[in-house]
Amino acid sequence: MSCVYFAPSKIEEALVLMQTHFPTVVAGGTDIFPAQGTTPMRRSLLDVSRIDGMTGIDRQADGSWRIGAATCWTDIVTADLPPGFAGLQAAGREVGSLQIRNAGTIGGNICNASPAADGVPPLLTLEAEVEIACAGATRMVPLSDFLTGVRQTTLGSDEILVAVHIPAPPPDSVGRFEKLGGRSYLVISITMTATLIGLDEHGCINLARIAVGACSPVARRLAQLETDLIGQRPDQVVVLPAHLKTLSPISDVRADAVYRAEAVAEQIKRAVCKAAIPHD
Amino acid sequence: MTEQTVNAPCGFRLNGHDVEIQPGPGERLSSALRERLAARDVKVGCDAGDCGACTILVDGDPVCACLMPVQQVAGRQVETLTGLIADDPVAARLAHSFEAHGAAQCGICTPGMMVAAVALLRGNDTPSEAEVSEALGGVLCRCTGYRKIIEAVMAAGAPPALPVSDGWTGAAIARLDGRDKVTGVEAFGDDVAPADALVLRVIRSPFHRAGFEFDDLDVWLAGMPGIDAVLTAADIRGKNCFGVIPDFVDQPVFAEQECRFRGEAVAAIVGNRDAIDDFDVTKFPVNWQERPAVMNVADAMSGQAALLHQDRAGNVMCTGFVTCGSPETALAQADATVQGQFTTSFVEHAYIEPEAGFAIVRNGRLEIYACTQAPVMDLEGLEEILGMDRKDIRVVPTGVGGGFGSKIDLSVQPYLALAALKTGKPVRIAYSRSESMQSTTKRHPAEITMTIGAMADGRLRGAQFHGLFNTGAYASWGPTVANRVPVHASGPYQLADYRAEASGIHTHCPPSGAFRGFGVPQAAVAQESLFDELADKLGIDRLEFRILNALENGMPTVCGQVFETGVGIKPCLTALRPAWQTERRAAEDFNQANAGIKRGVGIAAGWYGCGNTSLPNPSTIKSGIRPDGTVVLHQGATDIGQGANTVITQIFAQALGVPVSAVQRIGGDTDVTPDAGKTSASRQTFVSGNAARLSGETLRRQVLKLVNAAPDSAIFIAEGVIRISDGQQTHTPDLSGLSADRDGYVIRAEESYDPPTKPLDANGQGVPYAQFGYAAHLAVVEVDLALGTVRPVKFVAAHDVGHAINPLLVEGQVQGGIAQGLGMALMEEYIPGRTENLHDYLIPTIGDVPPIETLIIEEPDAHGPYGAKGLGEHVLIPTAPAVLNAIRDAADVRITHLPATPARVRAKLREAANG
C-alpha cells in the first residue's frame, strides 16, 4: 500500500480519510517518531494539527471548557485558566522539555495511553470527557472509560479524538500536581499524583479528588481516599495502604513496586498540603 | 500509482529563504533539513526528542526537528543555528559569549543549546539561572556540566571581551577551534559525506547470545532493488578480528556462527538512501537460534557457564595484581578495620554524537573520515582487518561529538572500509542511538570487596581489595582496567601493606572498555566510602583523616614508586578545609530547620596515573615554517572536546616563542600528521604536550640559528615575515631563499616524547606512570527522606594539574567530569536490552548539576610540559564517592549499589528505620 501524508483543514474531510485510507493520526509527533526508531514508516499519516477546531482552549456557554485535542502543552501551560486547572498546568510544565511541549498535544498524550502520561491524572481529577468523532457521529466518553489499559483506548480505527471537555471546576477548588522522576527535565515519571482540593471556611477539606499515575496500567482516582479526606486538614492527611489498594505498581528500571507505593502516599500528602498554599 | 501517492511539494522559509521539497509521508524534519537542504548544523543525537541536539525554531518556537513531520512546517518559518548567526544579533552575541565562557566543548550539542537559548533571549535579555535552566532543559550536554552554558546565556546580553594575549601556558584563552562550534560550521562524523554517498546499515543480533545462519544472500540481494551489496565475514580479506591490546585482540568485525552480545554485527547492507531507509532490518534473511546467556560475573564464573572464549578458563579474561608489605598481618594488627562490598552498573558514554563517518576509495587508496579518538590506531586496526598495506589507507578524524573513551575503539570504520572497497563508491553511516548504545563499549560494572585498617592515631594499617569487573563479550580495554585498578585502589594515600586484585570477567554483555578513569572511579567508590566509615570509627574528622594519610613527596606508592616532586594530594585536601568547615556548619543549621529534607557534606579524593600503565606511549609532534613565514603545527592529538587543539598549541607557541595566533594548525590526518597517540588516559596534555614543547623548542633553535641570535631572542611573525630581535639587533632572515622540503617547509621539527615508566614485577612493583594527577571533591547534597531523592546542592573541586595550561579549559574539564560522576552516582545504569535509549538511560540535564567551584592546585610535575599534568579523568574519580559520602552524612545510610536511585536510597532508609 502506498503511503500518503494528509493534512486536511476540515474535520469532516479527515473523518472520511480515516475510513478510506486508515491513516495513523499524527499531531505533535512526539510519541510516533520515538516509537518508530529506524523502522520505515509504512503507514499513511493524517496530520490533525491544521484541522479547524482541533486547537485552542475555549470556555463554553455552560461554563465548561473545551480544549482542542491538537492543542500543544505550551498553549495549555500559558493559558489563563482558573485555579482548578493549576494541576493540569503544572503537569503540562513537567511534560518532557520546552521543545516537547511546543509540539506534543493533550490529545496525543491521551491517545498514546502511557501509564505514565503526565496529562492524565489531572484530567481525571477534572472529570474530563473526550469528544470522539467518526464520519457522521460524535460521542462523548469520560476519560476514565476511554483509557482501558497500557497503550489501549476505546478509540476506533476510523475515529479521531477531537477535543477534551472539562466541566467548570468547583469554585475555589485548587489543582496540584506532583511528579517524581530520576532527574530534572525530560524524565518519565516514577510516580505522579494530581489533586483537586476544596477547603471550607475553617480550612478543612470539603472537596477531594485524587488521581495517581504510573502506579497502574491506567492512572486512577482513589475513591476511598477522596471520601476519607473530607473534613481533614490538608496538612494532616493520613494515607493508609488500604487507600492505595486499587493501585498495582510494578517494578521496572525506574523503581520497584514497594517504592512506588510508598512514594505515591507521600506525594498525595504533599499535593494535598500544597492545596492550602495560595495559587502561585 | 494514484495521484495521492505523489508526495506533495512542501514549501517553507528556511533561514530567510524560500525552499520547497517533496518529503515522504513519515519523513522527519531533521532528516529533510540535513539531507535535502544541506542544513547539517542541525545535529541528530537520538531521533526521539531525548537529547535536543536537533532543536530548531519553527515560527520562533523551539522544537525537536527529529519529532516533526516535514509537512508540518509548510508555510512556516524555520530557523537553524547558521541562519540565526547570520541574521540575528542576539545569536551573534550569544556565540561570542559561548566562546568567551568556554560553553562549547565538543560542540555537538551547541547548535541545539544555542537555538534554544536564542528563543529565550529574544524575549528576555537578562534571564535568571532558573529561566535559562527551564529553556535549555531539553538539550543534553555530556561534556560541559552545563555551568558554563548557563553563564554564557545569562551574560549573552553583554558578553565579556575575549582575552587578548599571546596565549602561552597559564592563559585562560578561549578555545582556538571554538568559532566553528558556536556558528554551526564544525563538521562531525555524519556531516562530511558527499551527497551521492551510499548508505550502510549494520544487521545486529537481537539476542544476548545466538547462533545464526543466513539464507542465500545472493538470491536475496538480487531481489532488493537499490541495495548494492551485502557484507558478511566472508568479505574480510584480512583478519576478522580487532582489538586494542595486542594479546587480547578478540572481537570480530562480523560474528561468525555465534553472537556473543546483543547488538553484535553479523552483516551489513549498502545501498542508496531511499532503499536503506525503506528497509526493515528485521526482514534481513538471517535465522537466529537464541542460546542461554550469562549476564553477570557470578553466573559467568559459576562453572556451569559456557566459555565465551575457549582459551579463557572460567571466563576470566585476565587479572591485575599489586601487593606490598604484609597486608594480612597489618589488618590483624590494626586497631580498627572496616569492610564493604560495592556494586556498580554499566555506564554508557552517552556522547551526543553517535558514531558516524564515511569512506571512499580515491586513487586506489582507502580514505576513512570518522569521529575517533585514535586515528592511527584505527589505521592499524584496518590494516589487519582489510589485509591492506597501511600506506594505502588514510584516516582523517572529523569533529568528534564527545568520546570519553569509547571512540578509541573501532566502530563504524571497518564497515565503511569494507563497503567502500566492495562497491567502489563513497559510503556513509551514522549509528542510531540504540545501535550506538547496544554495540559500543561501556564502563565496567564492578563487584568490589575491600577491607581497610588503621591504628588509633589514624594512620592507615593495611588494605585488601578484590574486584571483579564485567568486561562483556570482548576484551577491548578490559585488560587495562584490570591492570590499572590495583595500582590505584589504595587511593593517593600512604599504605605500606596492601594487596589488590582486579579481574575482567567475560559475559554476554556489550564489551566494557575505556571510560574516563578505566575502572578507577569504581575502585574509588569502595575505598573512599570505607575511609569515611574508618574515620568515624576512630573518631577522627573525615577530611583530617585523609590529610593525615595523604601521600607526600618522597613516600612510596603501593607500587613502590617514589615521586620526589609533584605529589599534590595533600594540597588538594587542605584546599577543601575552608569549604568543609563552612558547609558542615551550614548543613547543621539547615538540618535543625528542616525535618524531612536533610543536608549532608561529603568528601573524597582520587589520583590518576597519566598515560599507559608501564607501556611505551609515545607522541610525535611535527611543525614547520613555510617560505612565507607561516608557522604550521601538525596537531595530531585528537580534540574530542577536551581542548587538545588549544592546549597543545599553547604549549608549542610558548616553546617557539610566538603568540598562538601565529600558529596554523593541521589536524590528525594520518597522511600528513605524525602519530600523537590516542586521546585517552589523560595523556595528551602531558605526553603530546611534551612532544609539542620539544617540537617548538627545536623549531625555535633552528630559527635563531638562521641569524645566530642569542637563545633568549624574541621571535616576531607578522605579514609573512619573521623578525628576530635580541634586544639590540633585529634580523629579518629571507626564508624564500631557503629550499622547501616536500611538505613545503623551509624549517621543520619533528619531536617525540615517551613518558619514562618501568614494567611492574610479579607483585606490581615498579614505575607504572611517570606522573599522577590528584584530586579531591567536596559535595553537598540534600536527601528527601520520604522519597529518597538526592539533590546535589554544590561541589567544590580541588585538582592538582601541575601547571594549568589553560585555566578556562581546566574548569570546563572539572565541571564536565563532575557531571558525569554525578550521573554515575545517582542515575546512570545501562541494562542491555532494556535501556538502549536516552529516556530509559538517564544522564544529568541542566537542572541536575549544581554550582561547581574549582580550586586549581599547581604542584609542578617533574616531567610534564612546564610542570603540567593530565586532568581528563581525575575530574570524575572522586565525584561518586563524594556524593555517596554526602548522602551518608545527610541521612546516615550507606549506599553500596550504584546508582543511588530514589528507590535504592529509600530502601536503605526503610531498612535503617526498621532496625
Side-chain angles (χ1 to χ4, degrees):
Chain A
M1 192 187 83
S2 48
C3 303
V4 191
Y5 191 92
F6 300 107
S9 57
K10 298 289 176 209
I11 185 66
E12 296 78 13
E13 191 188 344
L15 294 170
V16 169
L17 288 166
M18 291 302 287
Q19 290 189 330
T20 55
H21 286 74
F22 316 105
T24 298
V25 171
V26 60
T30 56
D31 287 314
I32 281 190
F33 281 113
Q36 196 67 26
T38 53
T39 310
M41 185 88 78
R42 296 225 174 91
R43 301 175 277 174
S44 291
L45 295 176
L46 187 142
D47 179 349
V48 295
S49 67
R50 293 177 196 247
I51 293 177
D52 295 343
M54 275 193 66
T55 51
I57 304 170
D58 297 294
R59 184 154 197 197
Q60 309 292 94
D62 63 356
S64 70
W65 296 79
R66 180 186 187 278
I67 303 177
T71 305
C72 74
W73 283 106
T74 295
D75 289 346
I76 293 168
V77 166
T78 55
D80 188 12
L81 296 169
F85 284 86
L88 179 65
Q89 291 183 304
R93 280 192 290 275
E94 298 280 358
V95 171
S97 63
L98 182 58
Q99 289 88 329
I100 303 297
R101 296 192 288 276
N102 282 339
T105 65
I106 188 168
N109 196 241
I110 292 169
C111 290
N112 189 50
S114 162
D118 291 311
V120 171
L123 287 170
L124 290 176
T125 65
L126 292 167
E127 303 192 325
E129 293 189 308
V130 288
E131 177 187 340
I132 310 292
C134 67
T138 294
R139 60 189 176 111
M140 296 287 282
V141 188
L143 177 61
S144 52
D145 294 341
F146 179 72
L147 297 166
T148 56
V150 177
R151 311 275 172 195
Q152 287 175 341
T153 70
T154 66
L155 192 70
S157 63
D158 61 347
E159 290 183 317
I160 293 175
L161 194 165
V162 176
V164 179
H165 291 262
I166 298 171
D172 302 326
S173 65
V174 176
R176 292 289 182 239
F177 181 75
E178 294 278 318
K179 173 166 174 164
L180 176 63
R183 68 174 177 196
S184 307
Y185 308 119
L186 285 169
V187 69
I188 297 169
S189 294
I190 298 171
T191 61
M192 64 187 132
T193 298
T195 59
L196 189 76
I197 296 293
L199 302 177
D200 65 19
E201 66 272 27
H202 307 296
C204 293
I205 296 168
N206 63 4
L207 170 88
R209 297 183 195 158
I210 313 290
V212 167
C215 286
S216 45
V218 176
R220 298 184 74 103
R221 290 270 296 272
L222 300 177
Q224 187 61 48
L225 177 62
E226 292 179 0
T227 306
D228 290 354
L229 285 178
I230 301 299
Q232 293 195 29
R233 299 194 67 85
D235 56 348
Q236 291 170 4
V237 306
V238 177
V239 181
L240 301 170
H243 290 134
L244 307 177
K245 69 176 192 298
T246 53
L247 301 177
S248 49
I250 59 163
S251 294
D252 64 10
V253 290
R254 284 176 262 283
D256 57 80
V258 172
Y259 175 79
R260 282 197 160 92
E262 198 180 64
V264 86
E266 179 67 20
Q267 278 188 319
I268 293 167
K269 286 193 268 185
R270 291 184 187 187
V272 173
C273 188
K274 284 181 189 168
I277 300 166
H279 182 53
D280 41 26
Chain B
M1 298 273 276
T2 68
E3 190 179 271
Q4 282 171 323
T5 62
V6 177
N7 295 327
C10 173
F12 57 97
R13 268 183 98 70
L14 173 60
N15 293 327
H17 302 282
D18 289 325
V19 295
E20 188 175 282
I21 55 175
Q22 291 187 306
E27 191 166 330
R28 299 167 190 261
L29 180 57
S30 51
S31 171
L33 290 172
R34 287 179 55 82
E35 304 304 331
R36 295 178 188 270
L37 296 162
R40 289 191 174 173
D41 54 322
V42 178
K43 305 303 178 193
V44 173
C46 69
D47 268 340
D50 297 325
C51 77
C54 66
T55 298
I56 57 163
L57 302 184
V58 174
D59 289 344
D61 293 326
V63 295
C64 291
C66 73
L67 299 182
M68 186 164 272
V70 184
Q71 294 86 347
Q72 280 194 345
V73 294
R76 302 169 78 180
Q77 301 264 359
V78 174
E79 293 168 286
T80 73
L81 181 60
T82 53
L84 293 171
I85 292 289
D87 299 330
D88 188 339
V90 170
R93 282 197 298 274
L94 179 66
H96 191 73
S97 191
F98 258 58
E99 277 198 270
H101 285 91
Q105 285 189 21
C106 82
I108 193 75
C109 77
T110 308
M113 284 288 181
M114 290 184 58
V115 169
V118 167
L120 169 72
L121 290 165
R122 278 177 173 173
N124 178 359
D125 59 6
T126 53
S128 66
E129 178 174 337
E131 288 167 331
V132 173
S133 187
E134 194 62 35
L136 304 189
V139 190
L140 297 178
C141 170
R142 192 58 156 168
C143 296
T144 65
Y146 301 102
R147 301 307 307 181
K148 291 189 178 295
I149 293 172
I150 294 170
E151 288 170 23
V153 177
M154 290 178 72
L162 297 180
V164 179
S165 80
D166 53 22
W168 289 0
T169 72
I173 59 170
R175 48 186 314 141
L176 299 172
D177 53 5
R179 193 68 200 156
D180 283 357
K181 295 174 194 282
V182 301
T183 53
V185 175
E186 175 93 338
F188 295 91
D190 197 34
D191 300 336
V192 292
D196 63 344
L198 297 177
V199 177
L200 177 64
R201 181 155 299 163
V202 181
I203 311 298
R204 300 180 180 280
S205 171
F207 301 107
H208 301 300
R209 182 180 174 216
F212 64 93
E213 283 169 2
F214 299 119
D215 295 345
D216 187 324
L217 294 177
D218 293 332
V219 171
W220 177 81
L221 182 62
M224 295 299 295
I227 296 188
D228 290 32
V230 179
L231 304 169
T232 66
D235 292 286
I236 295 173
R237 283 177 285 177
K239 293 179 192 145
N240 183 20
C241 203
F242 67 98
V244 289
I245 313 266
D247 291 342
F248 293 89
V249 174
D250 60 4
Q251 185 166 359
V253 175
F254 291 115
E256 298 178 61
Q257 284 137 23
E258 180 171 285
C259 288
R260 296 184 177 94
F261 71 96
R262 175 179 156 89
E264 182 162 17
V266 294
I269 57 171
V270 195
N272 66 53
R273 170 163 290 281
D274 288 344
I276 295 292
D277 281 352
D278 197 42
F279 182 69
D280 180 348
V281 290
T282 63
K283 301 292 190 294
F284 188 79
V286 56
N287 304 298
W288 302 102
Q289 301 100 40
E290 188 178 6
R291 293 174 184 165
V294 289
M295 302 302 286
N296 58 60
V297 295
D299 290 347
M301 298 175 82
S302 69
Q304 274 93 59
L307 294 183
L308 275 93
H309 301 275
Q310 290 309 314
D311 57 342
R312 295 177 191 162
N315 285 317
V316 177
M317 177 188 58
C318 69
T319 297
F321 179 67
V322 170
T323 191
C324 62
S326 311
E328 282 176 20
T329 313
L331 284 168
Q333 291 169 349
D335 292 326
T337 59
V338 290
Q339 189 185 62
Q341 290 179 313
F342 299 83
T343 302
T344 72
S345 302
F346 275 118
V347 182
E348 156 67 21
H349 299 71
Y351 25 72
I352 306 305
E353 181 203 28
E355 294 73 7
F358 98 98
I360 188 168
V361 179
R362 209 174 258 155
N363 303 322
R365 295 179 74 226
L366 175 70
E367 299 183 0
I368 304 272
Y369 298 74
C371 53
T372 178
Q373 295 180 235
V376 175
M377 284 182 68
D378 291 352
L379 189 154
E380 289 164 353
L382 290 169
E383 197 184 347
E384 295 291 318
I385 293 163
L386 304 173
M388 284 171 68
D389 194 298
R390 67 185 293 158
K391 72 174 172 29
D392 295 326
I393 307 171
R394 176 186 186 190
V395 175
V396 186
T398 62
V400 184
F404 317 115
S406 190
K407 288 178 184 170
I408 310 175
D409 297 52
L410 288 172
S411 60
V412 295
Q413 297 90 343
Y415 307 113
L416 286 169
L418 292 164
L421 290 167
K422 184 154 185 172
T423 62
K425 296 174 184 166
V427 178
R428 65 187 285 199
I429 190 173
Y431 279 179
S432 70
R433 173 56 58 184
S434 63
E435 193 175 20
S436 172
M437 293 181 80
Q438 283 177 15
S439 68
T440 64
T441 63
K442 305 279 168 284
R443 180 184 298 289
H444 288 71
E447 304 276 345
I448 295 169
T449 303
M450 191 169 192
T451 309
I452 311 176
M455 302 308 287
D457 66 358
R459 293 277 176 192
L460 287 170
R461 191 86 177 94
Q464 286 188 318
F465 174 100
H466 182 261
L468 297 175
F469 288 76
N470 180 345
T471 206
Y474 298 103
S476 180
W477 295 94
T480 305
V481 168
N483 287 322
R484 191 175 265 276
V485 164
V487 174
H488 288 79
S490 61
Y493 302 102
Q494 307 165 38
L495 258 170
D497 304 282
Y498 172 79
R499 185 183 198 282
E501 192 176 295
S503 301
I505 310 299
H506 284 299
T507 62
H508 293 103
C509 291
S512 298
F515 191 168
R516 222 169 188 173
F518 284 95
V520 181
Q522 295 95 306
V525 163
Q527 174 260 312
E528 287 291 327
S529 293
L530 290 174
F531 264 39
D532 266 20
E533 290 184 27
L534 193 50
D536 290 359
K537 212 167 177 178
L538 294 165
I540 299 173
D541 176 90
R542 297 167 195 161
L543 176 61
E544 297 307 321
F545 175 71
R546 288 173 170 84
I547 292 173
L548 176 70
N549 287 293
L551 272 176
E552 293 182 57
N553 290 336
M555 291 177 173
T557 70
V558 289
C559 295
Q561 185 175 9
V562 176
F563 288 92
E564 295 305 334
T565 178
V567 179
I569 187 56
K570 198 169 251 185
C572 287
L573 287 164
T574 52
L576 292 183
R577 259 191 196 132
W580 174 242
Q581 284 154 10
T582 312
E583 295 300 335
R584 298 260 287 175
R585 273 196 300 274
E588 269 175 42
D589 293 347
F590 180 92
N591 291 339
Q592 286 198 341
N594 291 278
I597 295 181
K598 292 295 176 188
R599 187 176 276 200
V601 188
I603 40 161
W607 63 334
Y608 193 79
C610 303
N612 286 353
T613 311
S614 292
L615 289 170
N617 196 201
S619 278
T620 301
I621 295 282
K622 175 166 115 178
S623 59
I625 298 179
R626 295 193 183 124
D628 66 358
T630 309
V631 177
V632 180
L633 172 66
H634 291 252
Q635 203 300 88
T638 311
D639 195 319
I640 58 173
Q642 87 282 31
N645 281 336
T646 306
V647 165
I648 301 298
T649 307
Q650 287 184 269
I651 293 168
F652 171 79
Q654 177 167 339
L656 175 60
V658 303
V660 290
S661 57
V663 180
Q664 194 180 100
R665 266 181 296 109
I666 287 180
D669 179 339
T670 57
D671 268 10
V672 294
T673 295
D675 185 10
K678 62 195 187 293
T679 288
S680 95
S682 302
R683 62 177 292 285
Q684 292 296 21
T685 296
F686 167 37
V687 183
S688 296
N690 259 333
R693 176 181 59 81
L694 294 169
S695 189
E697 287 170 358
T698 301
L699 203 64
R700 175 180 175 82
R701 275 195 301 276
Q702 294 184 56
V703 170
L704 298 183
K705 200 172 149 196
L706 289 174
V707 294
N708 287 326
D712 59 349
S713 298
I715 298 175
F716 302 95
I717 298 177
E719 291 159 5
V721 179
I722 290 191
R723 288 184 297 119
I724 301 155
S725 170
D726 61 7
Q728 285 152 9
Q729 272 193 301
T730 297
H731 307 274
T732 309
D734 180 13
L735 300 177
S736 62
L738 302 172
S739 61
D741 66 12
R742 64 188 169 85
D743 293 327
Y745 299 134
V746 291
I747 305 173
R748 64 181 283 142
E750 184 168 323
E751 296 289 349
S752 295
Y753 179 79
D754 194 8
T757 62
K758 286 179 192 160
L760 298 178
D761 67 16
N763 287 325
Q765 302 296 297
V767 178
Y769 308 105
Q771 68 167 214
F772 280 82
Y774 302 87
H777 286 178
L778 178 147
V780 183
V781 307
E782 287 173 7
V783 180
D784 184 324
L785 299 178
L787 294 177
T789 49
V790 177
R791 187 177 79 89
V793 175
K794 180 183 185 176
F795 284 91
V796 184
H799 288 269
D800 171 27
V801 296
H803 169 56
I805 304 291
N806 185 323
L808 184 67
L809 295 182
V810 168
E811 285 180 6
Q813 284 293 291
V814 171
Q815 294 175 1
I818 284 177
Q820 286 184 357
L822 184 162
M824 176 184 166
L826 297 180
M827 63 184 80
E828 299 192 31
E829 181 169 15
Y830 181 78
I831 303 170
R834 181 60 190 85
T835 62
E836 296 165 346
N837 57 60
L838 292 176
H839 50 267
D840 289 320
Y841 185 87
L842 301 181
I843 66 170
T845 70
I846 199 168
D848 296 310
V849 184
I852 296 165
E853 186 184 342
T854 304
L855 307 173
I856 297 177
I857 308 296
E858 297 182 299
E859 290 287 318
D861 181 72
H863 302 288
Y866 306 106
K869 299 169 182 172
L871 171 68
E873 8 242 307
H874 61 81
V875 289
L876 93 72
I877 290 166
T879 310
V883 169
L884 298 178
N885 285 342
I887 293 171
R888 179 169 172 269
D889 189 51
D892 205 23
V893 291
R894 160 66 64 213
I895 305 298
T896 56
H897 187 165
L898 265 57
T901 58
R904 287 205 181 109
V905 173
R906 192 47 221 152
K908 284 283 186 181
L909 286 163
R910 208 182 304 129
E911 207 177 282
N914 295 339

